[in-house]
């Protein structure tokens, strides 16, 4: 009982402070919107993409967990589900982007005389863009709703049939996620520079989202890991598994980011190379170097060591670092679309992610309260635990 | 494989007892003592008990991996990760060095006006060479560190040891263990409810 009380108070405090900081930052951001609307919407897009990455990535990792199983998934399942339940919040947060379309995307201007954009206008036009965004969120919210609802019912009934249903949904669900997210990445980000295209772009986004979600889950589980019933279950081995997954995502991110670069570098065609030209000149190349070093090199070397993975305190610090460089990665993708000549960071690029993040974290803490931190009646977990108890005898 | 007749638990004990009394004078060296169990659970408990009793040099044999067992038998750290890391690094340097040397030093060739040291195009081969070296060193290193191939090992002489790849679970306490004492260790192993305890000759 004592433990439950303590965790309740902690989450209350996290919720309160997150909302206060988020609210203040939001007020400042709104002021920024009047001062420099173009900058505001670009910074807002950055914030939206980062927090959507954790939310939607959580749905994807959750489906991965249902498909492949394993103890690592059960210890983060409730964190992932709580993030996934914030998708309706992210759906509300897409509205400012739809309002700011003319400030973000040059293809929205009907006065353009660019023949290439003329041809693309069949796909890149405002009504279709809005409809697509609505469809993406409808599909994602449905996926998240079914998975979290069934999971809660399993908590009440321990029904194995529902578990089978979650597993059955997860396979097609991941395919649906891959398709919708590919389109969403094209719409929201790639069309910032509408002449440019890269077929691996959606995949790069998905890997980034998976990495964000996993890193966030590691941090959250670390914060919650001294609480019952999580504390009784979680072992260094689970952090080791999560660390290995983080390592895999870090490598996959580098692999895909480099694949895109190598293909465009080899082709050396102006309409493709221009995207990298905006991002490897005028100071932006230093951000690229920072990404190679701290989004790949350093975490890669750290995560190779099993000591770093088994200790929750070290692993969660690496995860926090990765989350930070997820923001930098998105900043490097989004911001040069506005500042093509040279490196520029606006104070809104920091304030708006904090604003959205405060609101998001407040909602997360609020949603997490009252949920058991483990799906204790899930037959798969029951089986895994009974095996472990047997082994511990 | 085994010249000795298959015996039941009681008979084995009798034979061992006879030998042990003779050994007070001759004391032939043995590999260790082997206890046979019927379930993985019993093996795990036995390994834990042996560990708690202070035994360190022991090994367990089971038809399939048992979670937590390798900690109980005191499976020590291996040098394999370090070997793989070094080999992977050497692979990366070899892969990159080879391409650099070929394209820049040995046979410079202008391809599409690209710089001679076109490092982005060298990365895939560098990556593949890293994996190749790391994977080969992992396999070869594992074989060498395990002392394989090993056509014979003393534990093969234990009665019914072939069952270790089917449905029996064995725990061997080696004579090298500082705490090992033929009589005491045997009594200890017998206290763990094995289906048989036997001496393993060198």
């Amino acid at each position: 009982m004592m433990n439950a009380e303590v965790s309740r108070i902690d989450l209350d405090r996290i919720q309160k402070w997150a909302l206060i900081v988020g609210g203040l930052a939001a007020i400042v951001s709104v002021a920024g919107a009047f001062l420099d609307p173009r900058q505001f919407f670009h910074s807002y897009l950055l914030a939206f993409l980062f927090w959507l990455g954790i939310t939607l990535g959580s749905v994807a990792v959750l489906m991965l967990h249902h498909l492949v199983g394993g103890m690592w998934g059960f210890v983060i399942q409730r964190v992932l589900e709580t993030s996934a339940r914030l998708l309706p919040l992210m759906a509300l947060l897409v509205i400012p982007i739809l309002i700011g379309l003319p400030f973000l995307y040059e293809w929205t201007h009907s006065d353009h005389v660019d023949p290439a954009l003329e041809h693309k206008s069949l796909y890149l036009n405002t009504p279709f863009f809005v409809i697509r965004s609505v469809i993406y969120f409808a599909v994602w919210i449905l996926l998240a709703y079914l998975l979290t609802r069934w999971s809660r019912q399993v908590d009440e009934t321990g029904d194995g049939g529902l578990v089978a249903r979650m597993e059955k949904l997860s396979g097609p669900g991941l395919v649906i996620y891959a398709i919708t997210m590919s389109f969403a990445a094209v719409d929201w980000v790639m069309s910032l520079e509408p002449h440019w295209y890269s077929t691996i772009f959606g995949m790069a986004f998905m890997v980034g989202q998976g990495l964000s979600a996993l890193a966030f889950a590691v941090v959250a589980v670390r914060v919650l890991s001294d609480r019952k019933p999580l504390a009784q279950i979680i072992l260094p081995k689970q952090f080791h598994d999560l660390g290995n997954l983080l390592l895999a995502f870090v490598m996959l991110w580098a692999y895909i980011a480099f694949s895109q670069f190598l293909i465009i570098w080899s082709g050396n065609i102006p309409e493709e190379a221009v995207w990298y030209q905006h991002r490897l000149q005028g100071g932006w190349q230093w951000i690229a170097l920072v990404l190679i070093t701290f989004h790949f090199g350093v975490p890669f070397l750290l995560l190779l060591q099993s000591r770093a993975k088994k200790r929750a305190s070290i692993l969660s610090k690496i995860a926090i670092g990765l989350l930070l460089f997820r923001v930098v990665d998105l900043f490097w993708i989004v911001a040069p679309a506005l500042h093509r000549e040279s490196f520029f960071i606006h104070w809104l690029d920091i304030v708006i992610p904090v604003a959205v993040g405060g609101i998001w974290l407040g909602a997360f803490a609020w949603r997490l309260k009252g949920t058991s931190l483990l799906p204790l009646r899930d037959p798969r977990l029951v089986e895994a635990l009974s095996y472990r108890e047997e082994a511990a005898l | 494989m085994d010249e000795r007749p298959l015996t039941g638990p009681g008979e084995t004990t009798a034979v061992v007892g006879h030998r042990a009394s003779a050994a007070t004078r001759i004391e032939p060296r043995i590999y260790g003592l082997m206890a046979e169990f019927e379930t993985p659970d019993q093996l795990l408990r036995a390994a834990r008990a042996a560990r708690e009793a202070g035994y360190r040099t022991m090994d367990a044999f089971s038809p399939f991996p048992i979670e937590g067992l390798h900690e109980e038998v005191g499976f020590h750290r291996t040098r394999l990760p370090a070997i793989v890391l070094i080999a992977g690094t050497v692979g990366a340097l070899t892969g990159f060095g080879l391409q650099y040397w070929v394209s820049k030093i040995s046979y410079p060739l202008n391809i599409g006006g690209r710089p001679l040291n076109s490092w982005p195009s060298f990365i895939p081969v560098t990556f593949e060479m890293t994996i190749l070296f790391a994977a080969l060193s992992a396999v070869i290193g594992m074989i060498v560190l395990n002392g394989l191939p090993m056509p014979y090992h003393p534990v093969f002489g234990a009665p019914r040891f072939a069952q270790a790849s089917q449905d029996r679970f064995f725990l061997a306490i080696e004579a090298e263990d500082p705490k090992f004492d033929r009589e005491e260790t045997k009594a200890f192993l017998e206290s763990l409810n094995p289906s048989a305890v036997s001496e393993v000759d060198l």
Side-chain angles (χ1 to χ4, degrees):
Chain A
M1 278 318 284
M2 276 304 287
N3 269 317
E5 291 300 313
V6 171
S7 75
R8 167 62 58 94
I9 289 165
D10 273 2
L11 284 174
D12 277 339
R13 248 179 50 201
I14 292 174
Q15 182 188 341
K16 192 179 87 183
W17 281 106
L19 286 177
I20 288 174
V21 172
L24 286 174
I27 293 167
V28 178
S29 308
V30 171
F34 289 100
L35 290 170
D36 189 348
R38 279 196 80 194
Q39 180 61 55
F40 170 84
F41 284 112
H42 279 83
S43 305
Y44 183 82
L45 183 64
L46 164 69
F48 171 78
L49 290 171
F50 174 71
W51 290 102
L52 177 75
I54 296 179
T55 323
L56 197 54
S58 293
V59 183
V61 177
L62 187 63
M63 291 192 284
L64 193 69
H65 154 61
H66 285 313
L67 274 183
V68 302
M71 203 59 191
W72 65 270
F74 291 113
V75 297
I76 60 170
Q77 185 176 339
R78 280 296 133 87
V79 172
L80 297 174
E81 283 171 358
T82 310
S83 306
R85 282 163 75 199
L86 297 182
L87 265 174
L89 172 72
M90 293 316 294
L92 280 180
L93 290 173
V94 83
I95 292 171
I97 291 175
L98 300 179
I99 293 170
L101 284 186
F103 296 101
L104 282 166
Y105 306 106
E106 60 173 296
W107 51 261
T108 51
H109 306 300
S110 52
D111 54 338
H112 61 68
V113 282
D114 191 326
L117 293 190
E118 206 69 58
H119 285 296
K120 289 185 181 183
S121 65
L122 200 64
Y123 182 82
L124 287 179
N125 62 71
T126 305
F128 194 26
F129 183 98
V130 175
I131 291 169
R132 282 198 305 271
S133 294
V134 171
I135 291 173
Y136 303 147
F137 270 103
V139 171
W140 296 336
I141 289 172
L142 180 70
L143 276 177
Y145 172 76
L146 290 175
L147 288 172
T148 51
R149 201 174 80 114
W150 290 339
S151 169
R152 239 177 307 165
Q153 285 171 351
V154 170
D155 261 7
E156 286 155 21
T157 60
D159 181 1
L162 285 168
V163 172
R165 230 190 278 176
M166 291 195 281
E167 286 170 355
K168 235 176 248 170
L169 176 67
S170 294
L174 273 175
V175 176
I176 292 168
Y177 161 71
I179 294 170
T180 46
M181 191 54 225
S182 285
F183 276 95
V186 169
D187 286 3
W188 295 334
V189 191
M190 206 152 95
S191 78
L192 284 169
E193 280 155 279
H195 295 91
W196 180 74
Y197 52 87
S198 160
T199 45
I200 209 171
F201 199 66
M203 189 66 210
F205 251 82
M206 281 175 244
V207 172
Q209 292 186 335
L211 179 59
S212 300
L214 212 58
F216 176 77
V218 166
V219 178
V221 165
R222 155 81 177 143
V223 172
L224 300 167
S225 65
D226 53 346
R227 279 171 209 165
K228 283 181 186 172
L230 203 55
Q232 289 146 311
I233 301 278
I234 199 156
L235 294 174
K237 188 176 183 307
Q238 271 82 60
F239 279 106
H240 189 240
D241 288 348
L242 290 170
N244 277 333
L245 267 173
L246 271 182
L247 176 62
F249 271 100
V250 164
M251 288 195 286
L252 199 56
W253 175 85
Y255 183 86
I256 286 171
F258 180 75
S259 298
Q260 176 177 290
F261 173 74
L262 179 65
I263 289 165
I264 290 174
W265 178 88
S266 304
N268 206 16
I269 304 167
E271 60 260 39
E272 286 179 357
V274 69
W275 194 81
Y276 280 106
Q277 208 168 17
H278 295 153
R279 283 160 184 79
L280 294 174
Q281 280 176 6
W284 288 114
Q285 71 270 32
W286 301 116
I287 305 292
L289 207 61
V290 164
L291 282 175
I292 294 170
T293 314
F294 293 102
H295 199 309
F296 172 64
V298 171
F300 172 74
L301 289 177
L302 289 175
L303 288 170
L304 275 183
Q305 303 165 43
S306 63
R307 229 178 323 155
K309 284 178 282 195
K310 279 183 179 143
R311 276 203 211 137
S313 55
I314 304 177
L315 188 66
S316 59
K317 281 188 191 101
I318 300 173
I320 289 172
L322 279 171
L323 284 171
L324 191 70
F325 287 102
R326 283 303 307 138
V327 186
V328 178
D329 182 33
L330 290 167
F331 175 68
W332 183 74
I333 289 172
V334 171
L338 182 62
H339 307 287
R340 293 181 186 185
E341 302 308 319
S342 63
F343 172 76
F344 184 78
I345 183 163
H346 198 273
W347 57 270
L348 280 173
D349 289 325
I350 294 159
V351 174
I352 304 182
V354 170
V356 176
I359 294 163
W360 193 94
L361 279 176
F364 179 85
W366 170 61
R367 281 298 211 177
L368 195 62
K369 279 186 287 190
T371 46
S372 163
L373 289 178
L374 279 174
L376 279 175
R377 298 192 64 183
D378 189 314
R380 296 171 298 178
L381 180 63
V382 173
E383 195 188 346
L385 288 181
S386 71
Y387 180 66
R388 183 191 281 187
E389 265 157 36
E390 231 168 65
L393 281 173
Chain B
M1 181 185 89
D2 195 343
E3 299 275 302
R4 278 173 286 183
L6 291 183
T7 49
E11 287 169 281
T12 314
T13 314
V15 171
V16 170
H18 168 70
R19 264 194 212 161
S21 62
T24 44
R25 279 175 288 119
I26 318 160
E27 194 79 34
R29 290 180 63 226
I30 57 165
Y31 171 77
L33 285 162
M34 177 86 89
E36 176 186 340
F37 299 95
E38 293 193 351
T39 67
D41 237 35
Q42 282 179 311
L43 174 59
L44 204 60
R45 275 175 226 252
R48 183 159 308 161
R51 188 159 187 73
E52 277 160 12
Y55 292 104
R56 289 294 173 267
T57 316
M58 53 182 161
D59 210 346
F61 308 90
S62 143
F64 49 81
I66 299 170
E67 206 185 318
L69 184 62
H70 70 281
E71 282 102 359
E72 297 305 338
V73 296
F75 187 79
H76 42 267
R77 297 177 62 86
T78 81
R79 281 170 297 162
L80 197 55
I83 292 173
V84 174
L85 179 69
I86 292 166
T89 313
V90 170
L93 293 174
T94 310
F96 195 90
L98 172 75
Q99 295 172 92
Y100 182 85
W101 180 73
V102 165
S103 346
K104 178 106 181 184
I105 299 163
S106 170
Y107 202 84
L109 195 62
N110 184 335
I111 302 169
R114 291 198 183 85
L116 291 174
N117 175 26
S118 286
W119 64 267
S121 62
F122 297 167
I123 299 289
V125 172
T126 307
F127 173 71
E128 299 294 345
M129 289 285 276
T130 312
I131 304 296
L132 180 71
F133 274 53
L136 282 179
S137 76
V139 174
I140 296 169
M142 182 275 289
I143 288 171
V144 171
L145 288 179
N146 276 330
L148 295 172
M150 191 187 290
Y152 181 76
H153 191 278
V155 296
F156 293 170
R160 286 182 305 287
F161 187 71
Q163 300 287 105
S165 61
Q166 291 167 29
D167 58 356
R168 284 293 187 279
F169 305 84
F170 292 87
L171 180 72
I173 296 183
E174 293 171 26
E176 277 179 22
D177 194 299
K179 210 179 169 291
F180 186 85
D181 177 282
R182 212 180 271 209
E183 294 305 317
E184 261 178 47
T185 307
K186 192 158 76 70
F188 167 73
L189 281 175
E190 267 159 7
S191 73
L192 300 171
N193 269 335
S195 49
V197 174
S198 50
E199 285 190 358
V200 182
D201 296 323
L202 261 178

